[in-house]
Amino acid sequence: MKNIIRLLKTKVDLSRRIGSCFTDIRHKPQIPLTHIITSIFLMPIVGLRSFLALDNKSRQSPFKKLLGSKRKMVCSDSTIERVLRWIKNSESQKWALGFPDLFEEHDALKIKLTQKGKSRRFGIIDGSFMGGHWVSVLSLAAKINFPILIESYPKIGKELDASHKILDQIPQTLQKSSPELFLMDSLYFNQGIFDKIVNGLGAHFIVKSRDADFREVLKDAELVLEHYSDESLESKGFDESRMCSYRIYSDEGEYKGFPLKIIRVDEHYNKRAKGKRDVSFYAVCSDLDMEADEIREAAHWRWQIENNVFKRLNEHCGSKLVRTSNLKSFINWLQIICMGLSLFDFLMFIIEGSKEQWKKFCDGSKATWKNLQSIFWEKVLTHMVLI
């Protein structure tokens, strides 16, 4: 684990990053701001679902040693809430935007979904209701999951407005780490979103939908694929990872001047209960050269933001719990713990790069997230001073 400890101290260097991003408005602080931010940052890594749990954990000697704190406790739950209220949202975003270069250095933000497919940066945009607040999130989903841009919106029905703001931020914030292919659900099937992705960002998109009735171009494709299924069959096979057989039918169409490749995927899951074995969905892609198998895999890849971001944040940090009514405070907290989640993914990716190192790290334990958190705490964090 010496390489991981060296990486945390040199490349990650939380003290330097926090000091360069966050402004401490307190006149005579007794607790260093680096200790407070780092404590919040560790919540998804250690698996702490509340500020009170963090308060209790910070009273333990290993946690205090990790941060180099000589206080009875690192910081109380009330101190954490108070600090999150006066930190600027722009500062917590700046903190997150300092990490893509590190991840790019280790090729963690690109992935090849199929054997014949290209290695790409995938960006997934989706909305969620967390802690009493509506947020739209852009997550970079490759070898790690990196929820990097977060925009709040006032109520249900305003998700698209927030997502437009996220797309507008990308050229200035992500720059060379910008997604090359955006994955979205059917809510985003509209001209404004397509225009910003294709013409504004020079990227492509895939929109997945189970319903063909809400767009004329999908209705037309549905008729073609049903009546000319033999001619339109592009691929078929068996997916070992999902244990299902599949058939992919393809057609081409146009929506508001955007040429599209449209596929219908029919999947059959033998081991599911009767009535749930057959699943069909449509996927619309702006990259006409993309193969049907890769489009299908990318459409499934969209679930990364649900399964490995939103659900994990709630499981490990209680993100669905109503923590504060103060939106500014909540966004700051969410941005910091998202960075903790991403860095943990990154460190696991580095360790997993060596089979021998990964085997030694797991030491016979099943590689569940909770087990990995526990092992990481025991084998890495308790043996170093982070700040």
Side-chain angles (χ1 to χ4, degrees):
M1 296 299 100
K2 289 182 180 179
N3 291 337
I4 296 300
I5 291 175
R6 190 181 302 115
L7 180 67
L8 283 168
K9 285 183 172 293
T10 57
K11 295 288 187 176
V12 177
D13 191 6
L14 290 175
S15 182
R16 176 185 59 82
R17 289 178 184 272
I18 293 171
S20 65
C21 294
F22 295 95
T23 304
D24 196 341
I25 66 170
R26 298 170 298 172
H27 296 297
K28 296 181 180 180
Q30 296 183 6
I31 309 170
L33 185 60
T34 51
H35 289 186
I36 299 171
I37 300 298
T38 305
S39 296
I40 301 167
F41 168 81
L42 288 169
M43 289 182 72
I45 297 176
V46 183
L48 301 172
R49 289 174 56 84
S50 68
F51 294 152
L52 184 58
L54 179 57
D55 184 335
N56 292 332
K57 187 76 172 180
S58 70
R59 297 171 189 266
Q60 299 174 9
S61 296
F63 199 95
K64 290 189 288 184
K65 177 187 173 184
L66 176 63
L67 271 65
S69 175
K70 296 182 179 180
R71 290 170 50 84
K72 184 178 179 181
M73 60 178 177
V74 176
C75 56
S76 67
D77 55 338
S78 58
T79 299
I80 293 169
E81 290 185 21
R82 192 162 53 249
V83 170
L84 286 172
R85 284 177 179 267
W86 53 254
I87 289 175
K88 295 178 181 178
N89 289 152
S90 58
E91 292 179 340
S92 59
Q93 185 186 73
K94 181 182 177 182
W95 139 271
L97 290 169
F99 285 87
D101 287 345
L102 172 62
F103 298 158
E104 291 279 9
E105 183 182 334
H106 292 268
D107 195 31
L109 296 182
K110 279 191 172 185
I111 196 169
K112 192 176 180 179
L113 293 182
T114 62
Q115 190 173 4
K116 295 181 180 180
K118 290 170 55 179
S119 182
R120 308 173 191 254
R121 291 188 196 88
F122 291 90
I124 308 174
I125 300 180
D126 202 6
S128 182
F129 186 67
M130 299 186 194
H133 306 279
W134 291 97
V135 292
S136 185
V137 178
L138 169 67
S139 181
L140 305 182
K143 292 162 186 139
I144 67 171
N145 288 284
F146 187 12
I148 186 167
L149 295 180
I150 301 171
E151 191 72 37
S152 65
Y153 53 99
K155 59 182 179 179
I156 190 169
K158 297 295 182 180
E159 181 181 333
L160 276 181
D161 294 341
S163 298
H164 273 287
K165 291 179 182 178
I166 286 177
L167 291 173
D168 290 338
Q169 294 175 39
I170 288 175
Q172 291 74 35
T173 55
L174 296 186
Q175 299 175 7
K176 65 179 182 180
S177 297
S178 298
E180 297 164 294
L181 184 64
F182 287 83
L183 310 179
M184 303 168 290
D185 61 27
S186 54
L187 173 68
Y188 294 85
F189 201 124
N190 72 70
Q191 183 180 3
I193 293 290
F194 292 176
D195 183 61
K196 284 188 176 179
I197 291 174
V198 176
N199 299 323
L201 299 174
H204 286 289
F205 60 81
I206 289 177
V207 176
K208 179 184 177 184
S209 174
R210 287 194 176 184
D211 183 13
D213 292 337
F214 76 109
R215 285 289 185 266
E216 200 66 39
V217 66
L218 283 181
K219 288 182 183 179
D220 294 342
E222 183 181 36
L223 290 172
V224 171
L225 298 180
E226 284 183 356
H227 290 88
Y228 300 96
S229 57
D230 293 338
E231 295 89 337
S232 58
L233 178 65
E234 184 168 338
S235 179
K236 62 181 180 179
F238 185 81
D239 187 335
E240 293 184 1
S241 63
R242 299 182 181 89
M243 295 300 291
C244 70
S245 58
Y246 66 87
R247 299 171 72 88
I248 307 175
Y249 305 88
S250 71
D251 188 26
E252 291 188 1
E254 184 178 298
Y255 176 75
K256 303 293 185 181
F258 294 97
L260 302 172
K261 183 170 184 176
I262 303 168
I263 68 167
R264 190 187 79 204
V265 180
D266 296 336
E267 298 176 337
H268 179 73
Y269 295 81
N270 287 318
K271 294 190 175 181
R272 287 186 179 179
K274 288 184 178 179
K276 296 183 180 179
R277 292 180 180 177
D278 295 312
V279 176
S280 296
F281 64 85
Y282 289 84
V284 173
C285 180
S286 62
D287 185 352
L288 302 183
D289 296 325
M290 197 169 178
E291 292 191 356
D293 284 298
E294 189 179 5
I295 297 174
R296 171 186 173 267
E297 193 61 36
H300 278 294
W301 195 248
R302 195 197 73 78
W303 285 99
Q304 286 289 317
I305 196 169
E306 291 285 351
N307 296 330
N308 287 322
V309 177
F310 295 156
K311 288 183 179 178
R312 277 179 65 200
L313 285 173
N314 187 47
E315 174 69 19
H316 301 312
C317 301
S319 60
K320 294 289 185 182
L321 301 174
V322 178
R323 189 175 309 274
T324 174
S325 59
N326 186 288
L327 178 60
K328 178 183 176 183
S329 174
F330 178 78
I331 295 297
N332 280 326
W333 173 74
L334 185 60
Q335 193 84 69
I336 294 170
I337 64 167
C338 279
M339 196 59 250
L341 186 81
S342 302
L343 186 67
F344 183 73
D345 273 2
F346 173 68
L347 295 173
M348 292 302 106
F349 163 69
I350 296 295
I351 297 172
E352 200 173 2
S354 165
K355 289 184 179 180
E356 183 179 341
Q357 185 174 245
W358 181 251
K359 185 177 179 180
K360 187 176 179 181
F361 178 78
C362 293
D363 195 22
S365 298
K366 188 176 180 180
T368 63
W369 290 118
K370 288 190 176 181
N371 281 348
L372 294 177
Q373 287 170 328
S374 178
I375 296 168
F376 188 71
W377 171 258
E378 179 184 344
K379 292 190 175 183
V380 178
L381 296 181
T382 56
H383 297 284
M384 67 178 294
V385 177
L386 198 56
I387 297 299

